Amino acid sequence: MKTLRHASLLDMVSEASSIQLNNRIYEMREAGADVVTLSLGEAFFDIPTPSFEGAPADAIHHYSHSRGLPLLREKLARYHQSATQVPIDPEREIMITAGSKAAIFMTLTALLEPGDEVVIPEPLWVSYPDQVRLARGIPVMTPWFESVEELGSYITPRTKAIIVNNPHNPSGRRLTAAQLAVLHDMADRHGLFIIADEAYHEFVPEGASFVSALVHDPLKQHTIVCNSMSKNYGISGWRIGYLMANEYLMDQIIKLQQHLVTCAPTILSYHLAHHFESLLAATRPQIQEVVRRRNRTAELLADRGVACLPGDASFYLFASLGESRLDSEEFAERLLLRHHVAVVPGIGYGASCDRFVRISVGAEPEERVVRGVSAVASLIEETR
């Protein structure tokens, strides 16, 4: 009998390292272990338990428009236009998806021909390279120490796009208007798309500015912005994301939405549309507090001699292992087994990042964060 095999494409794809680790943490917790979880890529907020009382029962249990619920698209378009001064057509230039991961993957699938290259600066979000491979493209990673200006040296005749994450997971860096202008100039000169993952755009320090990639390309000629309501409202499990692009490209991406997921979850979309402003009002003060916690944690690590890559946004820090003799996977494993503290090995964020670990401060009370990062600093000292 002939042996049946899966598609060879999947042999080039790995499990998402951060999710694989967190599945292990869930299992440890279920077995009764007390784990300080600095590995989760989400923030835990105090938000009202959703009530669907009064929602239209004849609508919430059924399919909705595959571009997304019209009222939610209208509110998102106004929200982004207010922040960026860039007009967004809610009818033709925005689509709501089942999470921003789906938005990024559908964008890549719509853009890439087999063998097209996508430039991805490290530290990278762990899913970018494998999503490019799944879309039949070739990820071209650049080392973490390369500047935005130096990305041009990685562009070839096969390059189709550059992916940028802003604000950045895992460093918390915000791209400046000048850095974004450099990227847009590259896109214009080389005929490239910019895929801007802006899922953490609310997570900036109070009074600080966030510059969307749309500002330099208001006609959306080469820019696709992917974003997440789930992340910004502290409801990651809801899986509600969206993307904004020009009308022509959106008409192509909608085909993927219709064949893959039909539409974003209707009942959740109704809830978000009708509570849009109140959820923002509830979460924004908590966002500010978690960003302050992130920056207090950076100071705490610095006081212990642990350097982090520059950044002041999101709820992540990318901490250097300094003179530790352990690589990032060995370090994270020893930290988990000996100290019951979970961080994500830096190697998952690119080959140049094996001397770092990602620390997230969004899922634990501050006293437990302090306990966890103290263990990180102590283990670095112990393993010099």
Side-chain angles (χ1 to χ4, degrees):
M1 175 183 282
K2 183 179 179 180
T3 301
L4 301 179
R5 282 194 89 251
H6 60 270
S8 59
L9 173 66
L10 292 178
D11 291 332
M12 297 186 293
V13 175
S14 305
E15 287 190 57
S17 57
S18 55
I19 296 175
Q20 185 180 30
L21 171 64
N22 286 317
N23 285 339
R24 183 179 174 191
I25 305 309
Y26 299 143
E27 292 166 1
M28 290 177 68
R29 284 179 159 180
E30 287 173 6
D34 177 23
V35 180
V36 177
T37 307
L38 306 182
S39 54
L40 273 178
E42 58 180 320
F44 287 13
F45 295 148
D46 180 13
I47 53 176
T49 301
S51 170
F52 301 103
E53 189 171 341
D58 60 338
I60 60 174
H61 301 303
H62 304 289
Y63 297 133
S64 56
H65 198 296
S66 56
R67 290 183 184 268
L69 197 70
L71 178 59
L72 186 54
R73 278 184 277 142
E74 290 168 11
K75 292 204 171 185
L76 283 167
R78 287 200 298 270
Y79 165 71
H80 279 281
Q81 184 165 332
S82 174
T84 65
Q85 311 310 308
V86 175
I88 308 290
D89 180 355
E91 294 293 325
R92 310 300 301 178
E93 294 183 334
I94 190 166
M95 185 180 82
I96 300 167
T97 68
S100 59
K101 279 186 179 180
I104 296 166
F105 178 63
M106 286 190 280
T107 296
L108 289 165
T109 302
L111 296 183
L112 300 183
E113 300 287 356
D116 281 350
E117 296 174 353
V118 179
V119 174
I120 310 173
E122 295 177 358
L124 48 81
W125 178 56
V126 297
S127 290
Y128 293 151
D130 285 322
Q131 286 203 354
V132 169
R133 293 183 185 103
L134 288 168
R136 310 282 174 170
I138 299 171
V140 177
M141 281 75 87
T142 70
W144 68 264
F145 46 81
E146 297 276 33
S147 67
V148 169
E149 291 77 11
E150 291 170 312
L151 297 183
S153 64
Y154 294 87
I155 294 171
T156 76
R158 296 305 306 267
T159 306
K160 191 67 170 286
I162 300 173
I163 297 182
V164 292
N165 184 200
N166 181 38
H168 187 249
N169 170 11
S171 72
R173 178 199 64 207
R174 287 177 291 133
L175 290 175
T176 66
Q179 289 171 322
L180 284 166
V182 169
L183 289 171
H184 284 286
D185 180 62
M186 284 182 198
D188 287 332
R189 282 189 289 113
H190 297 283
L192 308 177
F193 288 99
I194 293 175
I195 304 170
D197 177 358
E198 298 180 353
Y200 299 94
H201 78 277
E202 284 277 353
F203 289 85
V204 300
E206 191 170 7
S209 62
F210 165 72
V211 183
S212 171
L214 290 175
V215 170
H216 292 277
D217 184 18
L219 298 180
K220 310 166 196 70
Q221 294 176 312
H222 59 240
T223 304
I224 304 97
V225 168
C226 300
N227 211 317
S228 168
M229 294 192 76
S230 308
K231 195 73 76 170
N232 286 303
Y233 287 152
I235 47 175
S236 299
W238 285 35
R239 313 312 304 135
I240 298 284
Y242 56 101
L243 63 124
M244 296 174 287
N246 65 56
E247 178 179 342
Y248 167 76
L249 189 56
M250 200 65 78
D251 285 345
Q252 307 310 310
I253 296 175
I254 192 68
K255 300 172 187 176
L256 294 163
Q257 171 100 319
Q258 290 171 351
H259 287 298
L260 290 173
V261 297
T262 303
C263 61
T266 302
I267 189 169
L268 304 182
S269 297
Y270 264 98
H271 184 81
L272 288 169
H274 287 282
H275 297 85
F276 192 96
E277 295 81 7
S278 62
L279 279 167
L280 264 181
T283 55
R284 273 180 167 160
Q286 298 178 80
I287 285 172
Q288 287 303 304
E289 175 51 35
V290 81
V291 173
R292 286 192 290 269
R293 185 189 310 161
R294 180 244 180 249
N295 292 325
R296 288 193 296 268
T297 303
E299 293 174 1
L300 179 63
L301 285 165
D303 289 344
R304 293 288 301 271
V306 179
C308 297
L309 288 191
D312 64 0
S314 78
F315 42 82
Y316 301 114
L317 303 102
F318 210 44
S320 171
L321 297 181
E323 296 180 4
S324 172
R325 64 179 179 274
L326 305 178
D327 64 32
S328 62
E329 288 184 323
E330 293 169 333
F331 185 92
E333 182 71 11
R334 189 173 300 189
L335 188 71
L336 181 59
L337 294 180
R338 292 191 181 180
H339 299 275
H340 276 199
V341 174
V343 297
V344 184
I347 191 65
Y349 300 90
S352 69
C353 300
D354 202 20
R355 301 300 305 160
F356 297 86
V357 292
R358 190 191 76 172
I359 296 171
S360 170
V361 303
E364 291 278 15
E366 187 155 15
E367 63 272 15
R368 286 173 63 84
V369 171
V370 169
R371 177 177 135 197
V373 298
S374 177
V376 170
S378 295
L379 186 58
I380 291 173
E381 293 167 1
E382 291 168 14
T383 57
R384 289 182 190 277

